[in-house]
Amino acid sequence: MCSKFSVSTTPCNYGANDARFLHAKSSVARKRAQGIKAHKCSSSGAIPRLSIKEFIPHTDLRVHEIVERQSQANNLAKQDACRRAEMNPKLLEEAYKRCRNICSEYARTYYLASLLMTEQRQKAIWAIYAYAAWGTRIDEMVDGPNAVYMSKSFLDRWEERLEDIFDCRPYDILDAALTDTVSNFCLDIKSFKELIEGMRMDTWKSRYKNFQELYLYCYYVAGTTGIITVPVMGIAAESSVSAKSIYNAAIHFGIANQLTNILRDVGEDALRGRIYLPQDELEQFGLSDDDVFARKVTDKWREFMKDQIARARFYYSLAEQGISHLDKASHWPLWSSLLLYQNILDAIENNDYDNLTKRARVGKIKKLLMLSRAYKKAQPVPGSIFH
C-alpha cells in the first residue's frame, strides 16, 4: 500500500474556530462552542452535537503524485514537448460546439462562468465537462434491469476510450475535443481515471455511513475535476505558494460543489433510492432513511441541514484561498462559479431547508448580481504581488 497522504495539510492554517466547520455540528452547538477548543464537547442542548472526526480522511489518494506528474507535464507544455494531436480544424470546431451545447444544457452555472474565460480555456472546460457528463448516463442504468452488467460494461468501455484519447486516437467527435484539450494543456490521465472510479461507486453504493466515505466519493467525482482544471486555469507566475496548496484548493472547490449538488438534489436522489448523506450524522439528529423517503421537513431536518450547509460553505472558504494564485484571466470566471454555486445553498435556506420536495434555484437577476460581485472580488488587492 502507498503511504498515507492528506490532501489538506499545511496550506491552510486552521484555528479552533475554523475547525468547527470541518465537522458537522448543530447550530445550537456552534453558538455554545464559541471560545471552546474544537475537541471539547458542548455540555447540553436539545439538538445533539455531531461526533468529532478527522477533517479529511487519510486515504490512499496519492494526490502528491498527481501534483508532481502534472507539474512535469506543465514543464513539457512550456517546452512544447507534449504529444500533439493533429486533427481537421473543421472537425474540431464542430466537436467543441457540441461540447459547448452539452455544457450549456446540463451545467448552466459552469457554462455561464466559462463565457468569462479566454477562448482556449472555454473550449477546454466544455470538453472536460462533456467528458464528465458521460457519467450522467449511469443514472439511467443503475436502477434498471441488468444494471450492474450494463453499467460495468459501460464504464469499462469508457476507460478504454480514455486510454485511446490520451494516445491521440479519439473514438468520436466528443472524444476529439478532449484529445485536443489534453494535447493543448498536457493533462495527466490519473484524475480522469479516478473520475471513472467515482462513477463505479454509483453502480454498487447508495449509502455512506460517515463523512469519510462521502468525502472519498466527492473527491472521485468532483475533486478530480478540480485537479484537472488547474493546468487549464494556469498557475500565476507570481505565485509564491506551493503547487500542492493550489491543487488542494482546487480539490476543495470540487468537494464544495459536489456537497452543494448533494444538498440540492436530496429529494430527487431519494426517489431513486439513493441517499448521499452521512448515515451516522442523520442518526445523531434523530433522523433515518425513512425520514428522507417520507420527504417531510421537520425541525430535526432543518437543524441537520444547517450543519451540512455550514460544512459545504467551509469548503468554499478553503477553495477561495487558491484563486488568487491562478492566472489573472481566470479570477473572474472562478469567482463567478464559486459565488453562483454558493447561492444554491442560500436558495435551500430560503426554501426553509426543504430540499426534499423543492429544488433550489438561483434566478437570472441574482446570477447577474453575482457576476458583478465576482468581478469586484477578482480585482487585485493594491500592494499585493498580483497587482
Side-chain angles (χ1 to χ4, degrees):
M1 297 293 285
C2 65
S3 60
K4 302 293 185 181
F5 179 76
S6 169
V7 297
S8 178
T9 52
T10 56
C12 305
N13 296 319
Y14 309 122
N17 290 332
D18 289 336
R20 296 179 299 135
F21 296 99
L22 303 178
H23 322 289
K25 296 190 295 187
S26 72
S27 57
V28 172
R30 283 199 297 270
K31 291 177 182 177
R32 290 175 177 169
Q34 290 180 353
I36 301 175
K37 294 290 185 179
H39 66 274
K40 294 182 179 178
C41 297
S42 60
S43 58
S44 61
I47 304 299
R49 174 178 173 175
L50 297 179
S51 61
I52 298 300
K53 309 177 184 69
E54 289 184 8
F55 160 39
I56 288 178
H58 293 264
T59 59
D60 291 354
L61 298 178
R62 303 179 74 168
V63 177
H64 59 303
E65 291 188 5
I66 298 176
V67 175
E68 291 174 1
R69 287 169 55 159
Q70 190 61 67
S71 295
Q72 292 172 2
N74 291 344
N75 291 333
L76 288 175
K78 292 176 182 177
Q79 300 168 18
D80 200 29
C82 276
R83 182 177 180 182
R84 297 295 175 187
E86 298 295 333
M87 283 180 279
N88 185 298
K90 289 187 177 181
L91 181 145
L92 274 180
E93 183 180 355
E94 178 62 25
Y96 280 117
K97 181 179 179 181
R98 293 194 187 185
C99 291
R100 173 179 180 162
N101 291 341
I102 291 172
C103 192
S104 65
E105 182 175 357
Y106 296 105
R108 294 177 183 177
T109 298
Y110 289 127
Y111 178 69
L112 181 58
S114 75
L115 296 180
L116 306 175
M117 297 176 185
T118 61
E119 182 180 357
Q120 189 180 39
R121 285 174 177 146
Q122 278 183 352
K123 291 179 177 180
I125 292 300
W126 297 338
I128 291 167
Y129 181 83
Y131 172 80
W134 263 53
T136 61
R137 304 177 199 178
I138 295 296
D139 291 342
E140 301 173 2
M141 299 180 180
V142 294
D143 300 314
N146 304 314
V148 175
Y149 171 76
M150 289 178 64
S151 54
K152 182 181 184 302
S153 174
F154 180 89
L155 289 170
D156 288 345
R157 177 60 186 136
W158 189 8
E159 191 157 7
E160 289 174 7
R161 286 175 63 165
L162 177 65
E163 296 282 357
D164 290 340
I165 286 170
F166 275 79
D167 284 338
C168 299
R169 298 197 309 268
Y171 175 79
D172 62 15
I173 195 166
L174 292 180
D175 288 1
L178 185 59
T179 300
D180 186 59
T181 292
V182 167
S183 296
N184 288 337
F185 293 95
C186 279
L187 301 181
D188 187 73
I189 195 172
K190 187 175 188 296
S191 292
F192 286 91
K193 287 190 171 183
E194 289 184 326
L195 176 61
I196 296 174
E197 189 60 34
M199 300 303 172
R200 290 190 195 280
M201 289 180 71
D202 266 331
T203 68
W204 60 270
K205 192 174 182 65
S206 62
R207 299 291 187 280
Y208 295 83
K209 68 180 183 180
N210 52 40
F211 180 61
Q212 279 79 0
E213 286 192 357
L214 184 62
Y215 173 85
L216 184 61
Y217 172 75
C218 290
Y219 167 77
Y220 279 141
V221 300
T224 52
T225 305
I227 293 173
I228 291 167
T229 55
V230 168
V232 177
M233 296 298 102
I235 295 177
E238 312 87 40
S239 175
S240 59
V241 303
S242 68
K244 185 177 76 171
S245 68
I246 295 172
Y247 276 89
N248 278 340
I251 292 169
H252 293 142
F253 203 159
I255 298 294
N257 285 349
Q258 187 60 25
L259 290 174
T260 302
N261 286 337
I262 287 169
L263 297 180
R264 181 195 61 196
D265 299 338
V266 171
E268 296 175 18
D269 289 333
L271 291 175
R272 297 185 294 117
R274 297 179 169 276
I275 298 177
Y276 294 94
L277 299 168
Q279 294 283 299
D280 61 342
E281 296 177 11
L282 280 168
E283 183 180 352
Q284 290 177 55
F285 274 83
L287 299 166
S288 68
D289 289 1
D290 291 340
D291 294 292
V292 179
F293 293 135
R295 307 181 75 190
K296 184 178 180 180
V297 178
T298 63
D299 287 342
K300 289 180 180 179
W301 180 259
R302 292 185 183 93
E303 292 302 320
F304 174 68
M305 274 299 113
K306 288 175 184 178
D307 280 36
Q308 301 302 309
I309 289 172
R311 172 184 279 153
R313 283 188 172 133
F314 188 75
Y315 274 96
Y316 281 119
S317 73
L318 299 182
E320 289 178 9
Q321 300 175 24
I323 294 178
S324 63
H325 296 282
L326 295 172
D327 185 76
K328 189 182 301 183
S330 298
H331 292 183
W332 188 18
L334 287 173
W335 271 113
S336 298
S337 179
L338 187 147
L339 293 178
L340 288 168
Y341 239 77
Q342 275 189 321
N343 261 259
I344 295 173
L345 300 175
D346 295 342
I348 295 173
E349 292 174 332
N350 293 336
N351 287 340
D352 195 25
Y353 302 96
D354 183 2
N355 49 1
L356 296 171
T357 65
K358 298 178 181 179
R359 183 181 175 90
R361 300 183 185 279
V362 180
K364 291 182 179 179
I365 295 177
K366 187 71 171 178
K367 287 181 178 180
L368 291 175
L369 290 173
M370 286 301 102
L371 292 182
S372 175
R373 184 181 169 195
Y375 180 78
K376 292 178 182 178
K377 281 187 168 289
Q379 302 313 301
V381 177
S384 74
I385 61 172
F386 299 99
H387 184 60

